[in-house]
């Protein structure tokens, strides 16, 4: 891992690292916040934050205002990029914001030409935690959270790996990607036209499938003034699936909030407090 930068913040350190990824077969950049406790040699739990469309490792760290509470709670935060990057990485032929670079959708692509590099599911759920736990002063207690496309990523990665993550949270997640325009476009491109293959990456489907004992609790916040709410996000489908599966789940509709980081920064402390209950 190569250290790209470091800045002291809230008594801890914000760092950016780059490394060669086996899964995505390119250099990947991620950001990490390490609270002071970690630097005193006390291994701390990690919250993985997955960002949304067009974002990279920097958006959450610059805009969410999460450091002070994470520092108080002694939680590290890791924010990966949202797709493979570089000259050699195939992008959307139409250069749209919702497919290709900055829009990996946290799946393992099976369709050429995306299958070689777009392996974001394995990268985030396996390669990155292994790397972090080998090189940084963190414990193996993990939680996962995200926004929009990253909220979808947090839900599916948490639900597919119930023993690896203690808790899951999301702001404005794409809750039922098999049934919304962003999800249909991305899953067709990465996974092919047969929609039965899409279900393995759909949170509503995964909730209905999960018959095991371990059910990581889920917290979702959604602004009711979000322009994407009805067509793309569909939190009520997630709520129905969680209810049917008897999965611990809380959805809070927040009046007046939109899809932006103004919303996330308003409620990020309550998400950190939620995860802290299960990470201790
Ligand atoms: C920094 C920022 O505003 O991020 C942002 C803006 C818009 C979106 C949309 C529309 C979808 C998504 O998945 O993420 C996202 C992130």
């Amino acid at each position: 891992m190569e250290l790209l930068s470091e800045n002291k913040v809230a008594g801890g350190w914000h760092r950016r690292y780059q490394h060669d990824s086996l899964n995505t077969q390119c250099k990947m950049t991620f950001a990490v916040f390490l609270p002071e406790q970690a630097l005193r040699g006390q291994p701390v739990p990690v919250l993985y934050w997955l960002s949304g469309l067009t974002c990279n490792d920097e958006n959450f760290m610059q805009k969410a205002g999460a450091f002070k509470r994470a520092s108080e709670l002694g939680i590290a935060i890791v924010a990966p990029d949202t797709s493979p990057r570089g000259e050699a990485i195939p992008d959307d032929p139409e250069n749209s914001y919702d497919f290709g670079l900055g829009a990996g959708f946290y799946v393992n692509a099976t369709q050429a030409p995306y299958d070689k590099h777009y392996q974001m599911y394995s990268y985030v759920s396996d390669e990155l935690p292994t790397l972090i736990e080998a090189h940084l002063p963190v414990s193996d207690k993990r939680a996962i959270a995200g926004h929009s496309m990253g909220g979808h990523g947090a839900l599916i990665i948490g639900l597919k790996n119930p023993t690896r993550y203690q808790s899951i949270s999301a702001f404005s997640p794409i809750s039922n990607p098999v049934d919304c325009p962003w999800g249909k476009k991305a899953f067709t491109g990465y996974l092919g036209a047969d929609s039965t293959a899409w279900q393995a990456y759909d949170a509503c489907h995964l909730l209905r499938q999960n018959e095991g004992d371990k059910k990581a609790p889920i917290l979702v916040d959604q602004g009711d003034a979000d322009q994407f709410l009805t067509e793309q996000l569909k939190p009520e489908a997630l709520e129905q699936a969680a209810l049917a599966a008897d999965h611990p789940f809380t959805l809070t509709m927040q009046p007046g909030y939109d899809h932006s980081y103004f919303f996330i920064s308003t409620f990020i402390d309550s998400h950190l407090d939620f995860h802290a209950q299960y990470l201790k």
Side-chain angles (χ1 to χ4, degrees), residues 52-53 55 59 63 147-149 182 228 259 261:
L53 292 168
C55 293
N59 302 78
K63 293 186 167 187
H147 171 228
S148 195
M149 175 186 75
W182 281 336
F228 303 108
H259 201 68
Y261 266 81

Side-chain angles (χ1 to χ4, degrees), residues 53-112:
L53 292 168
T54 73
C55 293
N56 60 19
D57 65 288
E58 296 184 282
N59 302 78
F60 177 82
M61 295 301 196
Q62 301 291 339
K63 293 186 167 187
F67 302 131
K68 210 161 162 253
R69 189 60 134 246
S71 186
E72 287 161 5
L73 295 168
I75 296 176
I77 303 175
V78 171
D81 205 342
T82 55
S83 77
R85 302 274 179 181
E87 299 272 295
I89 309 300
D91 196 2
D92 184 358
E94 289 159 14
N95 274 326
S96 66
Y97 74 100
D98 55 5
F99 186 76
L101 297 179
F105 268 83
Y106 304 100
V107 301
N108 285 342
T110 55
Q111 305 299 298

